[in-house]
Each structure stands twice: as structure tokens, then as C-alpha cells.
Amino acid sequence: MGEFELIRRHFQHALRPAGVALGNGDDCALLAPTAGQQLAVSTDMLVEGRHFLPTVPPEALGHKALAVNLSDLAAMGAQPLAFTLALALPRADDAWLKAFARGLLALADAHGCALVGGDTTAGPLNLCLTVFGQVPPGQALRRDAAQDGDDLYVSGTLGDARLALEAFRGEWAAAVALDGPVWTRVRHRLERPTPRVALGQALRGVAHACADVSDGLLGDLGHILAASRLGAEVWVDTLLASDAVSPAVRALPLAQALTCVLAGGDDYELVFSAPPAARAAVTRAAQRSGTPVTRIGRFTGRAPARAHLCHADGARFELPAGLALSGFDHFA
Ligand code: ADP
Ligand code: MG
């Protein structure tokens, strides 16, 4: 199977939404966003051994490669239009490609996001996707838009993906002992994350600032705090007791639970700010998008760019001795 046969067989996407005038096969694809809307553009690269284990099923890898990119559109409140796929492959394995494309294009179809181009080459397995979405001018959920006194929210659940990763690595006795439906669920959260695309769009005009949680809550919240020049209280015991933490994570020893929830990574949830006056609107956005959200703190003008771990009454939450939490940084 040659390069062009490979592309024709696996990466010819039938989906042709209104925002795509020409898909792949020519020198460029042509996008036709709704008149007056802004294009939202984001790229994410996935490298074997860094972002996924060599053993990951190809269908799950296809899903995840697009999911992490759609998550960036979600965090901006953008509607997905199209994406490109740059792919380096050690060999043209037809069964592997078929399963990979199935996972990739099923998620693309579910979000009306068309594969419109890419590049295919031989080399160590590496995937680089660029997504294009659209958002009305002035309505994107930017990281610099949080305001003093805003509530702090998170969507879905935090920490399950990290728990699954530690189980795969053979770390943590409680993680290694996971089995049955609990293991299936946390593994699913690592390998097949759900981008919160509908919630992101429902939060336009409701939330102020928003980011997706890819590198751990404290790391990604930290980006909002730095951009907005604010601090935030994170009510740690409220968070641990809430529906934002699954029973499997809550059952871990405290230091491990805190690592998963506050610095886990790979959650692909949304962390966002909204004024207290918008609480009913946040609840409606959550209901409309079928995505639970939990209020876990508030933004303050004190101590800019720092997240303060505290109890709901504002008293300082002491981390277990020796536990250091930070967002993931490839070069740290
Ligand atoms: P060029 O020589 O201009 O780089 P290519 O020969 O690499 O173009 O690709 C031919 C066509 O196939 C282009 O339209 C390109 O967008 C598309 N294509 C290449 N790889 C992929 C891929 N992995 N998925 C989707 N389309 C692809
Ligand atoms: Mg090319």
C-alpha cells in the first residue's frame, strides 16, 4: 500500500459540513466559516512514550488524538469545523490504520468536524493534529477574562486518568488492585476522554475565563490566574467530597488522591470562572450540555497568580508532608 492509497483508504472523510468548501486531495483545503465569525485554531502533538503507551489500542488512540484537540476548542467556547492530521508511521499496517481511523472519524462525525487534510510520512509514530473552529467575535472564553469575586468551577471528574496511568505503570497498591467495572471506567477516562465541546459553547456569555484541564487542575488554573492577574481559593475538602471526584479516586490515600485531583493531567475537563450572579445560568449551561459542573472555589484580587488550597471557610489546607504538586511541564 503506497502513501496515496493509504490516504485514500483510511483518511478520506465523507463528512462535509457547511464550514468546509473543499476537503483533502488538493494542495489546500478550503474552509468557509460562518460570515463574521472568528476562526479558533489549535494544534496538539502526540508522541509515543510521552503522551501514550505503545500498548494503547489504535482505535482509542485515534479517539484521543482528536479529543485532546477538540478540548482546546471547547475551552474557547468554539464550535468545531475541521481538522488536519500529520502522521508519521513506522509501517503501513492496514489493520492498525483501520482501527485508528475508526476511532478518529467516529469522534469527528459526532462533532461535525471534518478531516480536510494532512501529511503522511514514514518515521517513529507521531501524530500532530490542527483543529479549526468558529466563535462569534468577543465571545471566546479567554484565559485573561476572570474577575475578582468570580466563582471557580470545574466540569465532570478530575483524577481518574492519572489513577489509570499509575495502574498501568504498576505504581500505587490501590491503583494496581483496581478491577472490574471500576477499572474499565478509569481506563476509559485515560484512553477515551470526552471533550466538553457542548459545555464550552453553552458557557459563552455566561463564563468569564476558561481553560481545559490537560496538565492538572493547579497547572491549568495557574494559567488563568497568571493571564487574569488574580489569585484563587480552591476549597480542597469541598472538591474531594464532591461529584467532581470519583469514588475510586476518593478511596486512595490522601496524598495520592490529591495528586490525581489537583495535579493529575489528561482530564480534559473545563476549569472556568463566572460571576456569582450567573450561578443559575451556569446550572442551565450544565443541564443543556449534559455535563455536570461543580463549584470549587473563588477568584480573589489578593496574591495574584497563586492558587490557595483552603477549606471552604478560607482556612489554609495543609498538604500531607512531602507532597509537592505542580502542573506537568515537559522540560521541567
Ligand atoms: P503535498 O505534496 O502538497 O504535501 P501530499 O501529497 O502530502 O500533499 O498530500 C496529498 C493530499 O492528501 C493533500 O490534500 C493532503 O491534505 C492529504 N493528506 C495527506 N495526508 C493526510 C492524512 N493523514 N489525512 C488526511 N489527508 C491527508
Ligand atoms: Mg505533504
Side-chain angles (χ1 to χ4, degrees), residues 160 163-164 167 172-180 182-184 186-187 248-249 252:
D160 296 307
L163 175 56
W172 298 357
V176 175
L178 290 174
D179 63 3
V182 176
W183 168 238
T184 304
V186 298
R187 177 179 181 174
V249 171
L252 292 169

Side-chain angles (χ1 to χ4, degrees), residues 181-205:
V182 176
W183 168 238
T184 304
R185 204 192 63 79
V186 298
R187 177 179 181 174
H188 195 266
R189 292 283 293 149
L190 175 67
E191 292 184 342
R192 301 184 61 97
T194 304
R196 301 303 191 183
V197 174
L199 176 64
Q201 290 174 73
L203 287 173
R204 292 200 305 235

Side-chain angles (χ1 to χ4, degrees), residues 43-288:
T43 296
D44 259 304
M45 181 154 65
L46 284 88
V47 177
E48 187 178 65
R50 268 269 144 192
H51 300 96
F52 59 91
L53 303 164
T55 52
V56 67
E59 184 168 0
L61 182 62
H63 173 99
K64 185 162 179 175
L66 182 59
V68 306
N69 279 274
L70 290 174
S71 180
D72 287 311
L73 291 182
M76 221 59 190
Q79 176 198 345
L81 286 179
F83 71 105
T84 60
L85 168 67
L87 187 62
L89 289 170
R91 71 198 80 80
D93 176 339
D94 205 49
W96 190 96
L97 281 162
K98 198 171 174 198
F100 173 81
R102 196 185 321 121
L104 180 81
L105 297 182
L107 186 66
D109 286 339
H111 289 280
C113 190
L115 174 57
V116 296
D119 200 19
T120 307
T121 141
L125 185 56
N126 189 340
L127 312 162
C128 186
L129 283 76
T130 298
V131 279
F132 302 86
Q134 62 179 15
V135 62
Q139 289 191 36
L141 305 173
R142 296 169 49 140
R143 294 178 175 190
D144 61 5
Q147 290 178 19
D148 189 0
D150 276 357
D151 294 323
L152 168 64
Y153 295 88
V154 70
S155 68
T157 60
L158 296 173
D160 296 307
R162 177 61 176 270
L163 175 56
L165 184 64
E166 298 300 344
F168 275 122
R169 283 178 177 159
E171 306 280 335
W172 298 357
V176 175
L178 290 174
D179 63 3
V182 176
W183 168 238
T184 304
R185 204 192 63 79
V186 298
R187 177 179 181 174
H188 195 266
R189 292 283 293 149
L190 175 67
E191 292 184 342
R192 301 184 61 97
T194 304
R196 301 303 191 183
V197 174
L199 176 64
Q201 290 174 73
L203 287 173
R204 292 200 305 235
V206 175
H208 284 156
C210 184
D212 68 322
V213 183
S214 52
D215 296 329
L217 176 68
L218 293 184
D220 290 303
L221 171 61
H223 297 313
I224 293 180
L225 299 181
S228 298
R229 299 169 191 276
L230 290 174
E233 290 179 357
V234 178
W235 303 328
V236 179
D237 36 15
T238 302
L239 172 56
L240 286 179
S242 75
D243 291 340
V245 176
S246 72
V249 171
R250 196 177 301 125
L252 292 169
L254 182 62
Q256 294 173 359
L258 289 169
T259 299
C260 286
V261 172
L262 299 177
D266 265 353
D267 294 302
Y268 302 104
E269 296 295 350
L270 298 183
V271 54
F272 60 96
S273 92
R279 280 179 199 167
V282 170
T283 303
R284 277 197 302 277
Q287 281 165 350
R288 222 176 337 132

Side-chain angles (χ1 to χ4, degrees), residues 3-4 7 118-120:
E3 175 186 336
F4 298 103
I7 297 165
D119 200 19
T120 307

